[in-house]
mmCIF file of all heavy atoms in Angstrom:
data_model
loop_
_atom_site.group_PDB
_atom_site.id
_atom_site.type_symbol
_atom_site.label_atom_id
_atom_site.label_comp_id
_atom_site.label_asym_id
_atom_site.label_seq_id
_atom_site.Cartn_x
_atom_site.Cartn_y
_atom_site.Cartn_z
ATOM 1 N N PHE A 3 -1.097 -1.774 -12.155
ATOM 2 C CA PHE A 3 -2.011 -0.626 -12.183
ATOM 3 C C PHE A 3 -1.303 0.618 -12.724
ATOM 4 O O PHE A 3 -1.860 1.366 -13.537
ATOM 5 C CB PHE A 3 -2.550 -0.351 -10.779
ATOM 6 C CG PHE A 3 -3.668 -1.254 -10.353
ATOM 7 C CD1 PHE A 3 -4.008 -1.365 -9.006
ATOM 8 C CD2 PHE A 3 -4.391 -2.003 -11.261
ATOM 9 C CE1 PHE A 3 -5.045 -2.189 -8.590
ATOM 10 C CE2 PHE A 3 -5.432 -2.840 -10.867
ATOM 11 C CZ PHE A 3 -5.752 -2.923 -9.520
ATOM 12 N N ALA A 4 -0.089 0.857 -12.251
ATOM 13 C CA ALA A 4 0.658 2.032 -12.711
ATOM 14 C C ALA A 4 1.007 1.907 -14.197
ATOM 15 O O ALA A 4 0.907 2.884 -14.956
ATOM 16 C CB ALA A 4 1.927 2.196 -11.872
ATOM 17 N N ALA A 5 1.394 0.705 -14.604
ATOM 18 C CA ALA A 5 1.718 0.495 -16.020
ATOM 19 C C ALA A 5 0.489 0.674 -16.897
ATOM 20 O O ALA A 5 0.578 1.210 -18.016
ATOM 21 C CB ALA A 5 2.309 -0.903 -16.212
ATOM 22 N N ALA A 6 -0.673 0.249 -16.398
ATOM 23 C CA ALA A 6 -1.915 0.419 -17.157
ATOM 24 C C ALA A 6 -2.239 1.899 -17.316
ATOM 25 O O ALA A 6 -2.720 2.331 -18.370
ATOM 26 C CB ALA A 6 -3.059 -0.301 -16.460
ATOM 27 N N LEU A 7 -1.981 2.687 -16.272
ATOM 28 C CA LEU A 7 -2.215 4.127 -16.370
ATOM 29 C C LEU A 7 -1.284 4.755 -17.401
ATOM 30 O O LEU A 7 -1.714 5.581 -18.216
ATOM 31 C CB LEU A 7 -2.014 4.779 -15.002
ATOM 32 C CG LEU A 7 -2.119 6.310 -14.969
ATOM 33 C CD1 LEU A 7 -3.467 6.785 -15.503
ATOM 34 C CD2 LEU A 7 -1.888 6.835 -13.547
ATOM 35 N N LEU A 8 -0.026 4.348 -17.398
ATOM 36 C CA LEU A 8 0.915 4.873 -18.393
ATOM 37 C C LEU A 8 0.514 4.466 -19.799
ATOM 38 O O LEU A 8 0.731 5.212 -20.758
ATOM 39 C CB LEU A 8 2.327 4.356 -18.099
ATOM 40 C CG LEU A 8 3.160 5.143 -17.091
ATOM 41 C CD1 LEU A 8 4.499 4.463 -16.876
ATOM 42 C CD2 LEU A 8 3.356 6.589 -17.542
ATOM 43 N N GLU A 9 -0.079 3.301 -19.929
ATOM 44 C CA GLU A 9 -0.555 2.826 -21.229
ATOM 45 C C GLU A 9 -1.637 3.751 -21.762
ATOM 46 O O GLU A 9 -1.688 4.037 -22.962
ATOM 47 C CB GLU A 9 -1.099 1.403 -21.067
ATOM 48 C CG GLU A 9 -1.296 0.635 -22.339
ATOM 49 C CD GLU A 9 -1.780 -0.791 -22.067
ATOM 50 O OE1 GLU A 9 -2.930 -0.963 -21.614
ATOM 51 O OE2 GLU A 9 -1.012 -1.727 -22.289
ATOM 52 N N ARG A 10 -2.490 4.238 -20.847
ATOM 53 C CA ARG A 10 -3.573 5.144 -21.244
ATOM 54 C C ARG A 10 -3.110 6.596 -21.336
ATOM 55 O O ARG A 10 -3.616 7.363 -22.160
ATOM 56 C CB ARG A 10 -4.730 5.066 -20.243
ATOM 57 C CG ARG A 10 -5.319 3.694 -20.062
ATOM 58 C CD ARG A 10 -6.620 3.735 -19.271
ATOM 59 N NE ARG A 10 -6.514 4.425 -18.004
ATOM 60 C CZ ARG A 10 -6.149 3.844 -16.862
ATOM 61 N NH1 ARG A 10 -5.849 2.552 -16.847
ATOM 62 N NH2 ARG A 10 -6.100 4.544 -15.742
ATOM 63 N N ASP A 11 -2.181 6.975 -20.454
ATOM 64 C CA ASP A 11 -1.745 8.368 -20.363
ATOM 65 C C ASP A 11 -0.237 8.425 -20.144
ATOM 66 O O ASP A 11 0.237 8.399 -19.005
ATOM 67 C CB ASP A 11 -2.476 9.066 -19.209
ATOM 68 C CG ASP A 11 -2.070 10.520 -19.060
ATOM 69 O OD1 ASP A 11 -1.386 11.050 -19.961
ATOM 70 O OD2 ASP A 11 -2.431 11.138 -18.029
ATOM 71 N N PRO A 12 0.523 8.484 -21.225
ATOM 72 C CA PRO A 12 1.984 8.527 -21.099
ATOM 73 C C PRO A 12 2.491 9.738 -20.319
ATOM 74 O O PRO A 12 3.640 9.747 -19.870
ATOM 75 C CB PRO A 12 2.462 8.580 -22.562
ATOM 76 C CG PRO A 12 1.331 8.009 -23.351
ATOM 77 C CD PRO A 12 0.094 8.434 -22.634
ATOM 78 N N GLN A 13 1.662 10.758 -20.139
ATOM 79 C CA GLN A 13 2.059 11.970 -19.417
ATOM 80 C C GLN A 13 1.668 11.923 -17.940
ATOM 81 O O GLN A 13 1.761 12.941 -17.251
ATOM 82 C CB GLN A 13 1.416 13.197 -20.079
ATOM 83 C CG GLN A 13 1.686 13.341 -21.561
ATOM 84 C CD GLN A 13 3.177 13.379 -21.863
ATOM 85 O OE1 GLN A 13 3.950 14.037 -21.172
ATOM 86 N NE2 GLN A 13 3.588 12.664 -22.909
ATOM 87 N N ALA A 14 1.219 10.787 -17.444
ATOM 88 C CA ALA A 14 0.807 10.681 -16.047
ATOM 89 C C ALA A 14 1.955 11.061 -15.121
ATOM 90 O O ALA A 14 3.111 10.668 -15.339
ATOM 91 C CB ALA A 14 0.330 9.268 -15.744
ATOM 92 N N SER A 15 1.642 11.804 -14.079
ATOM 93 C CA SER A 15 2.661 12.266 -13.140
ATOM 94 C C SER A 15 3.048 11.153 -12.164
ATOM 95 O O SER A 15 2.349 10.140 -12.039
ATOM 96 C CB SER A 15 2.146 13.468 -12.356
ATOM 97 O OG SER A 15 1.070 13.089 -11.504
ATOM 98 N N ALA A 16 4.154 11.367 -11.456
ATOM 99 C CA ALA A 16 4.596 10.394 -10.454
ATOM 100 C C ALA A 16 3.544 10.230 -9.366
ATOM 101 O O ALA A 16 3.323 9.123 -8.867
ATOM 102 C CB ALA A 16 5.924 10.842 -9.854
ATOM 103 N N GLU A 17 2.883 11.329 -9.001
ATOM 104 C CA GLU A 17 1.834 11.253 -7.983
ATOM 105 C C GLU A 17 0.660 10.417 -8.470
ATOM 106 O O GLU A 17 0.111 9.602 -7.718
ATOM 107 C CB GLU A 17 1.361 12.659 -7.617
ATOM 108 C CG GLU A 17 0.278 12.671 -6.546
ATOM 109 C CD GLU A 17 -0.186 14.078 -6.190
ATOM 110 O OE1 GLU A 17 0.330 15.043 -6.792
ATOM 111 O OE2 GLU A 17 -1.067 14.205 -5.322
ATOM 112 N N GLN A 18 0.264 10.600 -9.711
ATOM 113 C CA GLN A 18 -0.843 9.831 -10.267
ATOM 114 C C GLN A 18 -0.487 8.347 -10.357
ATOM 115 O O GLN A 18 -1.327 7.477 -10.085
ATOM 116 C CB GLN A 18 -1.208 10.365 -11.649
ATOM 117 C CG GLN A 18 -1.868 11.739 -11.617
ATOM 118 C CD GLN A 18 -2.033 12.333 -13.000
ATOM 119 O OE1 GLN A 18 -1.167 12.176 -13.874
ATOM 120 N NE2 GLN A 18 -3.149 13.020 -13.212
ATOM 121 N N LEU A 19 0.751 8.049 -10.702
ATOM 122 C CA LEU A 19 1.185 6.652 -10.771
ATOM 123 C C LEU A 19 1.187 6.023 -9.385
ATOM 124 O O LEU A 19 0.796 4.857 -9.221
ATOM 125 C CB LEU A 19 2.575 6.571 -11.405
ATOM 126 C CG LEU A 19 2.661 6.977 -12.878
ATOM 127 C CD1 LEU A 19 4.115 6.998 -13.339
ATOM 128 C CD2 LEU A 19 1.850 6.024 -13.745
ATOM 129 N N ALA A 20 1.613 6.781 -8.386
ATOM 130 C CA ALA A 20 1.620 6.273 -7.012
ATOM 131 C C ALA A 20 0.200 6.020 -6.517
ATOM 132 O O ALA A 20 -0.064 5.030 -5.832
ATOM 133 C CB ALA A 20 2.339 7.259 -6.094
ATOM 134 N N GLN A 21 -0.716 6.902 -6.883
ATOM 135 C CA GLN A 21 -2.109 6.722 -6.487
ATOM 136 C C GLN A 21 -2.701 5.482 -7.146
ATOM 137 O O GLN A 21 -3.469 4.738 -6.521
ATOM 138 C CB GLN A 21 -2.926 7.960 -6.864
ATOM 139 C CG GLN A 21 -2.609 9.184 -6.021
ATOM 140 C CD GLN A 21 -3.338 10.429 -6.508
ATOM 141 O OE1 GLN A 21 -3.916 10.443 -7.602
ATOM 142 N NE2 GLN A 21 -3.314 11.485 -5.703
ATOM 143 N N ALA A 22 -2.348 5.257 -8.412
ATOM 144 C CA ALA A 22 -2.832 4.066 -9.109
ATOM 145 C C ALA A 22 -2.299 2.802 -8.434
ATOM 146 O O ALA A 22 -3.034 1.836 -8.213
ATOM 147 C CB ALA A 22 -2.416 4.110 -10.576
ATOM 148 N N ALA A 23 -1.025 2.801 -8.088
ATOM 149 C CA ALA A 23 -0.417 1.633 -7.454
ATOM 150 C C ALA A 23 -1.010 1.377 -6.071
ATOM 151 O O ALA A 23 -1.160 0.221 -5.654
ATOM 152 C CB ALA A 23 1.097 1.811 -7.356
ATOM 153 N N ASP A 24 -1.366 2.447 -5.366
ATOM 154 C CA ASP A 24 -1.895 2.311 -4.003
ATOM 155 C C ASP A 24 -3.221 1.562 -3.968
ATOM 156 O O ASP A 24 -3.578 0.969 -2.943
ATOM 157 C CB ASP A 24 -2.070 3.703 -3.385
ATOM 158 C CG ASP A 24 -2.588 3.633 -1.959
ATOM 159 O OD1 ASP A 24 -1.875 3.084 -1.100
ATOM 160 O OD2 ASP A 24 -3.712 4.112 -1.710
ATOM 161 N N LYS A 25 -3.962 1.564 -5.064
ATOM 162 C CA LYS A 25 -5.261 0.883 -5.093
ATOM 163 C C LYS A 25 -5.122 -0.617 -4.849
ATOM 164 O O LYS A 25 -6.078 -1.268 -4.441
ATOM 165 C CB LYS A 25 -5.960 1.141 -6.436
ATOM 166 C CG LYS A 25 -6.362 2.586 -6.652
ATOM 167 C CD LYS A 25 -7.005 2.783 -8.016
ATOM 168 C CE LYS A 25 -7.396 4.234 -8.228
ATOM 169 N NZ LYS A 25 -8.015 4.462 -9.564
ATOM 170 N N ALA A 26 -3.935 -1.152 -5.090
ATOM 171 C CA ALA A 26 -3.720 -2.584 -4.894
ATOM 172 C C ALA A 26 -3.601 -2.955 -3.423
ATOM 173 O O ALA A 26 -3.676 -4.140 -3.075
ATOM 174 C CB ALA A 26 -2.456 -3.019 -5.630
ATOM 175 N N GLN A 27 -3.423 -1.981 -2.551
ATOM 176 C CA GLN A 27 -3.131 -2.263 -1.144
ATOM 177 C C GLN A 27 -4.349 -2.152 -0.234
ATOM 178 O O GLN A 27 -4.244 -2.444 0.958
ATOM 179 C CB GLN A 27 -2.047 -1.285 -0.651
ATOM 180 C CG GLN A 27 -0.794 -1.242 -1.493
ATOM 181 C CD GLN A 27 -0.011 -2.537 -1.456
ATOM 182 O OE1 GLN A 27 -0.128 -3.322 -0.507
ATOM 183 N NE2 GLN A 27 0.792 -2.786 -2.489
ATOM 184 N N ARG A 28 -5.489 -1.749 -0.715
ATOM 185 C CA ARG A 28 -6.571 -1.322 0.173
ATOM 186 C C ARG A 28 -7.371 -2.451 0.803
ATOM 187 O O ARG A 28 -7.558 -2.488 2.009
ATOM 188 C CB ARG A 28 -7.506 -0.374 -0.594
ATOM 189 C CG ARG A 28 -6.810 0.931 -0.973
ATOM 190 C CD ARG A 28 -7.670 1.781 -1.870
ATOM 191 N NE ARG A 28 -6.968 2.997 -2.290
ATOM 192 C CZ ARG A 28 -7.391 3.822 -3.229
ATOM 193 N NH1 ARG A 28 -8.536 3.567 -3.848
ATOM 194 N NH2 ARG A 28 -6.688 4.895 -3.543
ATOM 195 N N ALA A 29 -7.900 -3.364 0.032
ATOM 196 C CA ALA A 29 -8.805 -4.377 0.578
ATOM 197 C C ALA A 29 -8.021 -5.467 1.312
ATOM 198 O O ALA A 29 -7.030 -5.979 0.793
ATOM 199 C CB ALA A 29 -9.641 -4.990 -0.524
#
């Protein structure tokens, strides 16, 4: 998820990357 975000937005912040990765833990 974090890598996909970087693929779309190379300027994504560390917080945004962490939020993207967190989506994998919810369900």
Side-chain angles (χ1 to χ4, degrees):
F3 280 163
L7 175 57
L8 275 178
E9 195 177 69
R10 302 191 307 272
D11 180 11
Q13 306 303 317
S15 67
E17 181 180 1
Q18 290 172 323
L19 294 174
Q21 289 174 348
D24 181 63
K25 294 178 180 179
Q27 307 294 337
R28 294 173 183 169

